[in-house]
Amino acid sequence: MSDILIIGGGVIGVCTAHELAKRGAKVMLIEQGEISSGASYGNGGLIVPSHCVPLAAPGVPLQGLKWMFNPESPFYIKPHFNFEFLEWMLLFAYASRRGPMMRALPVLSELLLSSGRIFDEIAREGGFPFGYEQKGTLAVFLTQRALDKGLEEAHLVGGFGVETRSLNGTELCELEPALRAEVAGGIHYPQDAHIDPAGFVIGLAEKAMELGVKILTHTEVMRFETEGKKINQVQTTRGDFTADQVILCAGAWSPVVLRELEINLPIQAAKGYSITLETPEISPSYPLMFPEARVVVTPFKDRLRLAGTLELAGMDFSIQSRRVDAIRTNSAKYLQGLENAKVTEIWRGLRPCTPDGLPVISRAKQFDNLIVAAGHAMLGMSLGPITGKLTSQLALGENPEMDLAPLRLERF
Ligand SMILES: Cc1cc2nc3c(=O)[nH]c(=O)nc-3n(C[C@H](O)[C@H](O)[C@H](O)COP(=O)(O)OP(=O)(O)OC[C@H]3O[C@@H](n4cnc5c(N)ncnc54)[C@H](O)[C@@H]3O)c2cc1C
């Protein structure tokens, strides 16, 4: 029997397992595939305190509806009418008003800035390479109108501890010569960083194993045996397990697992794609964000990754080639040198999105020994380390270092 059983081997489950093992807990982690085979595999790897404006923001639902019939749009809501989706859309529309957004913003910025500091500590401790580099990100705009909107957002997040520096087109191209001269300008966010996401999760899982964490891969959690307010047993495709506490970190699959416990968690999967290229001859040295195209570009040691699009289409793993192609075509409007770069991998992943853009880090009131850590949407890599810390503080009965009330499960 373990003290703690974690379901899900993505960034959230692995950060939680590592943190708990550091504090001496006996931990088992169960993963249905390989470690980091879900959304934590091929994402942009950006660690972005600058992204503290939640997805649920004024104008976003309307933009999604406008783009509904465009097969190349970077934000797409697939019409599908089940109860969970309609409930989620209503909650999303409600959370997208200015009031709720302004309440979510300081919560996200505190989480993101704390997590960024932990990444820095992990990198300084060394032990495994994960491509950590903190030179900031550059948000780049093609039109003056979009730049003005970007500067407004920079001003807003600047009020919550995010450092920003605006750059005109010439300054931007001097800093990042791979950009096309036509860009209107941009913003440098120096506290941002970037990592190799799968390298980080797999490396940290190995460190956790050295600290005693038992990891079972290719093992799927199917059901639970419960008694009153207690989960007695976790039943998997490879046997049944018991533990004092169960922590659910199953990303976009979390609502499916919780359904077995008759708990409703409004998380919708938001599919995104990445295209990984061999490093082109002209390649950026800064991670870049193109808000008009909703694409991010991350330079790794020997690769360049373009990532983007957000498709609310349920648990759908199909690859929509036109949207994938649009990521590359749109990136080429900002960047030189992409035309002949060889593709090494096309990937899709499902972001676990709550309707209000905040994750759930919470005990479940239905069971005394269940904790949920899920719903990190577009920020799961950035928020992994702080989530691991807060979740382990909850599990060990300590006072969490941040107020977790805005992240509780019962808020929906
Ligand atoms: C295109 C794209 C780009 C992105 N870019 C960034 C970025 O630049 N920066 C950033 O911060 N975030 C980014 N994200 C978001 C980030 O990838 C996610 O928020 C994060 O990976 C979620 O981590 P997770 O551990 O919650 O979920 P996952 O990584 O999906 O892990 C959940 C795990 O649970 C397992 N599981 C599910 N059900 C079961 C079961 N029944 N039994 C056992 N195991 C189970 C799954 O197999 C999976 O491995 C991006 C996402 C996408 C799609």
Side-chain angles (χ1 to χ4, degrees):
M1 173 157 152
S2 312
D3 298 339
I4 293 165
L5 186 151
I6 296 175
I7 304 170
V11 65
I12 302 300
V14 167
C15 285
T16 304
H18 177 251
E19 195 63 39
L20 281 164
K22 266 190 355 193
R23 289 148 187 254
K26 200 171 146 207
V27 181
M28 174 186 276
L29 185 150
I30 295 184
E31 163 56 49
Q32 65 185 0
E34 293 284 346
I35 289 297
S36 202
S37 54
S40 305
Y41 175 73
N43 62 67
L46 300 185
I47 308 308
V48 274
S50 63
H51 269 47
C52 53
V53 175
L55 175 64
V60 175
L62 190 66
Q63 184 69 74
L65 293 174
K66 269 194 203 153
W67 274 338
M68 211 149 156
F69 300 104
N70 177 352
E72 289 171 10
S73 67
F75 180 32
Y76 172 64
I77 301 173
K78 181 179 174 186
H80 56 294
F81 298 105
N82 59 47
F83 174 74
E84 286 82 12
F85 179 67
L86 290 175
E87 181 200 27
W88 191 95
M89 282 303 293
L90 284 175
L91 291 168
F92 180 57
Y94 181 82
S96 297
R97 294 169 312 129
R98 189 166 171 83
M101 180 197 79
M102 290 306 289
R103 286 194 288 281
L105 221 157
V107 179
L108 271 184
S109 72
E110 189 182 353
L111 285 167
L112 285 163
L113 287 164
S114 306
S115 213
R117 286 192 286 272
I118 308 177
F119 266 114
D120 206 40
E121 280 164 29
I122 300 175
R124 268 190 278 114
E125 270 168 27
F128 68 102
F130 58 98
Y132 177 80
E133 217 179 320
Q134 190 181 27
K135 59 196 305 187
T137 54
L138 296 175
V140 182
F141 300 87
L142 282 181
T143 63
Q144 188 58 44
R145 194 158 162 246
L147 175 61
D148 291 342
K149 220 171 146 226
L151 289 170
E152 250 174 55
E153 186 169 313
H155 181 70
L156 178 68
V157 300
F160 294 92
V162 176
E163 293 167 24
T164 67
R165 179 164 67 109
S166 65
L167 300 158
N168 65 30
T170 315
E171 290 165 335
L172 193 57
C173 291
E174 268 168 25
L175 198 60
E176 181 47 81
L179 288 167
R180 292 193 184 279
E182 299 88 276
V183 296
I187 300 152
H188 181 212
Y189 292 102
Q191 291 152 310
D192 289 353
H194 64 289
I195 61 170
D196 166 3
F200 173 71
V201 180
I202 293 167
L204 198 68
E206 279 163 10
K207 248 185 122 182
M209 282 194 284
E210 283 165 22
L211 293 171
V213 174
K214 194 166 172 201
I215 296 188
L216 297 184
T217 53
H218 300 286
T219 306
E220 183 182 342
V221 170
M222 300 183 301
R223 277 187 299 272
F224 301 87
E225 189 202 286
T226 62
E227 193 184 340
K229 289 189 79 177
K230 186 162 186 271
I231 297 176
N232 276 338
Q233 202 178 58
V234 177
Q235 302 177 342
T236 80
T237 48
R238 295 199 174 186
D240 304 335
F241 300 94
T242 53
D244 292 336
Q245 303 201 60
V246 176
I247 307 184
L248 179 71
C249 307
W253 292 263
S254 300
V256 182
V257 179
L258 282 181
R259 221 168 281 147
E260 289 294 322
L261 292 165
E262 295 181 15
I263 297 175
N264 175 34
L265 173 64
I267 283 183
Q268 285 290 319
K271 187 166 52 181
Y273 303 99
S274 69
I275 309 171
T276 306
L277 305 168
E278 278 177 6
T279 303
E281 259 172 51
I282 306 173
S283 184
S285 68
Y286 275 87
L288 306 169
M289 307 186 288
F290 305 146
E292 291 146 300
R294 292 183 185 251
V295 169
V296 301
V297 177
T298 318
F300 299 119
K301 199 168 73 169
D302 51 0
R303 292 163 297 152
L304 185 71
R305 180 169 293 160
L306 320 175
T309 79
L310 196 144
E311 271 180 55
L312 283 165
M315 295 297 283
D316 167 15
F317 285 91
S318 64
I319 294 184
Q320 304 297 319
S321 303
R322 289 180 71 175
R323 265 183 244 286
V324 177
D325 293 345
I327 292 177
R328 189 166 177 169
T329 317
N330 285 330
S331 302
K333 293 179 188 159
Y334 299 75
L335 273 176
Q336 311 174 53
L338 289 187
E339 295 74 18
N340 301 318
K342 191 166 166 251
V343 175
T344 59
E345 189 171 4
I346 289 175
W347 171 84
R348 89 296 244 166
L350 301 182
R351 305 174 183 91
C353 291
T354 59
D356 60 4
L358 292 175
V360 172
I361 303 176
S362 173
R363 285 200 172 272
K365 74 170 187 315
Q366 293 85 343
F367 294 95
D368 292 335
N369 60 342
L370 174 65
I371 294 174
V372 177
H376 294 71
M378 308 150 82
L379 297 171
M381 290 316 300
S382 306
L383 293 174
I386 188 65
T387 303
K389 198 166 186 189
L390 293 168
T391 308
S392 57
Q393 287 167 343
L394 261 187
L396 299 176
E398 297 168 6
N399 242 351
E401 66 183 44
M402 278 179 60
D403 175 18
L404 296 187
L407 311 180
R408 70 195 188 285
L409 181 58
E410 277 74 41
R411 69 183 188 270
F412 300 111

